[in-house]
Amino acid sequence: MCDTFVATASATSDGSVIFGKNSDREPNEAQALEYHPGRVYAPGAHLQCTYIEIPQVPVTRAVLLCRPFWMWGAEIGANASGLVIGNEAVWTRMPLNRKGALTGMDLVRLALERADTAEQGVDIMAGLLRDFGQGGICGYHDRRMTYHNSFILADPGTAWVLETAGPFWAAKRIRGTYAISNGLTLADDFDRAHPDLARFKTRGKPLHFARHFSDRFYTFFSASRTRRSCTREHLVAAGGQIDTALAIQVLQDHGGVTPYRPDSHWLGNRICAHAANGLTRNATQTTGSLVAHLHPDRSTIWATGTSAPCTSIYKPIGFAGEVLPDIGPLPQGHFDPASLWWFHEQFHRGLLSDFEQGHSLFREEQQRLQAQLIQSADAILERPAGEVTAEAFRQSRDWTESQISRLSSTAKNNRRPPRRSYRRYWEKQNRQAGIRP
């Protein structure tokens, strides 16, 4: 499950475009934060995506990606032209392709490497769907998981929502704000669409994309409506003053519940998602999160590089100089404290024995550090961007290390241990990953 939103110039405090996304996947499905410079390719070159090989383009853009470690494609990303894209799994009435095709994550990365604007990204994705289709297994341990996809694409001037059902698609230019959460949302007011959609019209009425194609059963149990409604409430309440800080708050939201207990609900109906059981909340751990502040003069990407946004610090990244500092080896599916993602998991998983108490102990410090980083982000204009980014990553690591130490000293003071089924679920995840929080 995932949640993605965007606010265009009329809804933001400074006339920029603000984008945010949480990537929700299996708990041990580590997500790599990585940068790839643009490249030039020889004529006739080919590209190996997650499952299939396709022709390569002559030139690719530099990209920053949040990628499930075992996939070629990315859940979220940005490029040097100021384009950002995030995808959502959606369940439709169209047949699923479990064999060779492009995954939704492949489509995200391909569009980032090949497009300069959101509208160009829509064109490229539509062409790739036509030529290669979408499909393939998208689960890490769950080798049955496959789905169709929806996307939000944004650049400093525009934003689009693109939704798919098998080979069919519809797209709408966004004005104001928009949010998607694992369910089709487009009605009959889309701006562009697959040329064959016209044949689905009945009794002379325009096609309602979501009603016609949605699989109601899976969409209901994804709790997508609850999460989307929560996101929209945040965006509306901001009254046209959405900024980076608010976007981060949205992605850290637990449904307005304070204090929050991850073992207290059955469905994955929180934006900041926490896995809890193997049936309804297994592929619901937020394993990566990203906010983009897109402005014609400059764009800043704020990425966690870690799971559980409510326990993470968003760090500023710009496409200049050394884009990313050394954050250790790319994470795999097994614990490695040298990797940023797994280093943070020591803190995240240590909290799970008494999340309610632990979260209250560090939240104020976390908010203070995050506010300092946001306030100092303008220094990217005055200092080499790489220096600002490296310092933010260092401060975040130091803070996380201090929280790990604090957990070690307070672990025996747990007041309300979680439910037994929840504890057993996480004990199994920890054994599989080889981690002892």
Side-chain angles (χ1 to χ4, degrees):
M1 306 302 112
C2 301
D3 298 281
T4 308
F5 64 87
V6 69
T8 59
S10 63
T12 61
S13 61
D14 62 355
S16 63
V17 172
I18 301 288
F19 167 99
K21 172 177 162 67
N22 277 351
S23 168
D24 303 344
R25 302 192 66 89
E26 296 176 37
N28 291 332
E29 195 173 356
Q31 196 154 126
L33 176 65
E34 58 186 11
Y35 169 74
H36 296 274
R39 291 185 59 185
V40 176
Y41 293 88
H46 281 72
L47 169 66
Q48 179 61 52
C49 300
T50 302
Y51 293 116
I52 65 172
E53 186 179 87
I54 67 172
Q56 180 59 283
V57 294
V59 179
T60 59
R61 283 79 175 153
V63 295
L64 177 75
L65 306 174
C66 298
R67 175 179 65 84
F69 76 91
W70 62 275
M71 285 186 175
W72 180 84
E75 280 269 339
I76 338 167
N79 72 18
S81 298
L83 172 64
V84 294
I85 309 176
N87 89 301
E88 300 275 330
V90 293
W91 284 270
T92 80
R93 296 163 55 194
M94 297 301 295
L96 293 167
N97 178 2
R98 299 181 182 277
K99 298 182 180 179
L102 294 173
T103 68
M105 286 60 69
D106 290 339
L107 290 168
V108 169
R109 181 168 178 177
L110 287 166
L112 288 171
E113 291 187 343
R114 301 178 179 199
D116 292 317
T117 67
E119 189 166 10
Q120 288 177 2
V122 171
D123 289 336
I124 288 169
M125 286 179 164
L128 291 166
L129 279 170
R130 177 195 63 224
D131 295 340
F132 304 104
Q134 63 175 319
I137 299 300
C138 296
Y140 173 39
H141 286 301
D142 183 356
R143 304 308 296 169
R144 300 167 299 172
M145 174 71 77
T146 188
Y147 41 74
H148 297 146
N149 295 268
S150 64
F151 308 86
I152 285 181
L153 305 87
D155 61 49
T158 59
W160 284 75
V161 55
L162 168 65
E163 299 191 338
T164 73
F168 301 108
W169 61 273
K172 178 180 178 179
R173 181 168 177 177
I174 298 167
R175 292 170 174 83
T177 63
Y178 208 87
I180 54 177
S181 298
N182 302 117
L184 296 177
T185 64
L186 290 175
D188 58 4
D189 58 345
F190 42 82
D191 298 307
R192 300 176 58 188
H194 189 285
D196 289 344
L197 277 190
R199 68 182 173 89
F200 290 101
K201 293 182 180 179
T202 58
R203 299 178 183 176
K205 294 182 179 180
L207 172 75
H208 190 294
F209 193 83
R211 286 180 192 162
H212 186 87
F213 286 111
S214 290
D215 181 303
R216 295 183 181 180
F217 178 82
Y218 284 103
T219 299
F220 173 80
F221 280 101
S222 74
S224 60
R225 289 184 180 179
T226 300
R227 288 180 283 112
R228 184 176 186 238
S229 177
C230 183
T231 300
R232 294 170 72 182
E233 287 175 8
H234 278 290
L235 300 179
V236 170
Q241 297 298 305
I242 297 167
D243 57 12
T244 298
L246 178 79
I248 291 173
Q249 291 172 21
V250 172
L251 296 176
Q252 293 176 331
D253 183 79
H254 293 135
V257 176
T258 304
Y260 169 67
R261 289 179 61 93
D263 63 333
S264 65
H265 52 103
W266 180 243
L267 294 179
N269 53 9
R270 304 298 198 271
I271 298 171
C272 182
H274 295 261
N277 64 67
L279 182 60
T280 61
R281 287 174 60 194
N282 185 48
T284 61
Q285 177 64 48
T286 300
T287 55
S289 185
L290 181 146
V291 167
H293 178 218
L294 307 175
H295 194 277
D297 295 334
R298 66 183 178 97
S299 295
T300 303
I301 310 302
W302 295 82
T304 61
T306 55
S307 75
C310 63
T311 69
S312 297
I313 302 295
Y314 290 75
K315 283 78 70 176
I317 304 168
F319 280 88
E322 186 176 356
V323 174
L324 277 179
D326 181 7
I327 56 175
L330 291 178
Q332 303 295 312
H334 198 269
F335 176 62
D336 178 1
S339 163
L340 171 66
W341 196 90
W342 281 111
F343 173 76
H344 174 267
E345 280 303 279
Q346 297 171 99
F347 172 40
H348 166 226
R349 300 196 187 195
L351 277 174
L352 298 182
S353 62
D354 191 351
F355 188 91
E356 182 179 2
Q357 178 187 16
H359 191 258
S360 65
L361 293 175
F362 74 81
R363 182 62 173 160
E364 185 176 341
E365 292 181 13
Q366 178 197 29
Q367 291 177 323
R368 185 163 53 248
L369 175 56
Q370 189 68 74
Q372 291 172 357
L373 293 178
I374 293 173
Q375 188 175 14
S376 64
D378 287 340
I380 288 181
L381 293 176
E382 304 165 3
R383 297 168 50 195
E387 289 184 10
V388 176
T389 299
E391 184 174 325
F393 273 83
R394 179 189 58 76
Q395 289 179 281
S396 174
R397 186 179 181 89
D398 289 348
W399 177 81
T400 303
E401 190 166 31
S402 70
Q403 301 310 313
I404 294 171
S405 297
R406 173 184 287 182
L407 282 175
S408 298
S409 64
T410 61
K412 296 181 180 180
N413 297 324
N414 294 344
R415 295 180 298 178
R416 295 182 61 191
R419 297 175 181 176
R420 180 178 298 178
S421 59
Y422 179 84
R423 296 199 307 269
R424 287 179 174 175
Y425 172 82
W426 276 103
E427 287 167 0
K428 178 181 178 181
Q429 298 300 320
N430 292 337
R431 284 196 304 273
Q432 290 177 340
I435 183 172
R436 298 181 64 183

